[in-house]
């Protein structure tokens, strides 16, 4: 019987070790899901702001380049004549975070 007690103790320690590893893995997955969710929400918000800025520039008679700050983003718009035709504007909207890291960029052409 005394030999069985040592065996039971080792079995319990091994089971606790395996359980601890499983709990750690599940915790890491939950943390990763949170990061992915926050990143997706950030990119979705940046896309909406970029599309709104692009549409506003397309509606202006004479769009101009500029930069504005919105809810944690820096939205920079560049307007120039298209290189192959002076009758077309090339409009580019770039969204960056506060650190200057580009999140996304949109580009289109529009007749003058």
């Amino acid at each position: 019987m005394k030999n069985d007690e040592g065996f039971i103790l080792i079995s319990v320690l091994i089971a606790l070790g395996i359980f601890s590893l499983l709990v750690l893995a599940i915790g890491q997955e939950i943390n990763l899901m949170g990061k992915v969710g926050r990143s997706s929400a950030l990119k979705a918000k940046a896309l909406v702001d970029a599309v709104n800025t692009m549409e506003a520039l397309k509606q202006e008679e004479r769009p101009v380049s500029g930069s504005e700050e919105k809810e944690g983003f820096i939205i920079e718009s560049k307007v120039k004549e298209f290189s192959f035709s002076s009758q077309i504007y090339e409009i580019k909207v770039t969204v960056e975070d506060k650190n200057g890291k580009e999140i996304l960029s949109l580009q289109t052409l529009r007749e003058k």
Side-chain angles (χ1 to χ4, degrees), residues 28-105:
Q28 291 294 327
E29 288 298 317
I30 290 171
N31 187 28
L32 179 63
M33 288 183 346
K35 286 181 182 178
V36 168
R38 285 188 298 276
S39 175
S40 295
L42 177 76
K43 288 180 181 179
K45 176 68 175 134
L47 180 60
V48 168
D49 288 345
V51 168
N52 288 340
T53 301
M54 179 71 76
E55 290 301 319
L57 287 170
K58 286 169 50 178
Q59 298 300 318
E60 291 180 10
E61 187 175 326
R62 293 186 51 87
V64 294
S65 299
S67 181
E68 66 177 309
E69 193 172 322
K70 276 188 174 179
E71 300 178 31
F73 301 121
I74 299 169
I75 302 172
E76 185 176 325
S77 55
K78 294 180 183 174
V79 180
K80 63 181 182 179
E81 287 186 356
F82 189 55
S83 57
F84 297 113
S85 172
S86 63
Q87 298 300 314
I88 297 176
Y89 286 122
E90 180 180 2
I91 303 171
K92 183 175 182 178
V93 176
T94 305
V95 181
E96 300 174 346
D97 64 9
K98 294 279 188 180
N99 300 325
K101 181 181 175 190
E102 184 176 309
I103 297 172
L104 63 90
S105 178

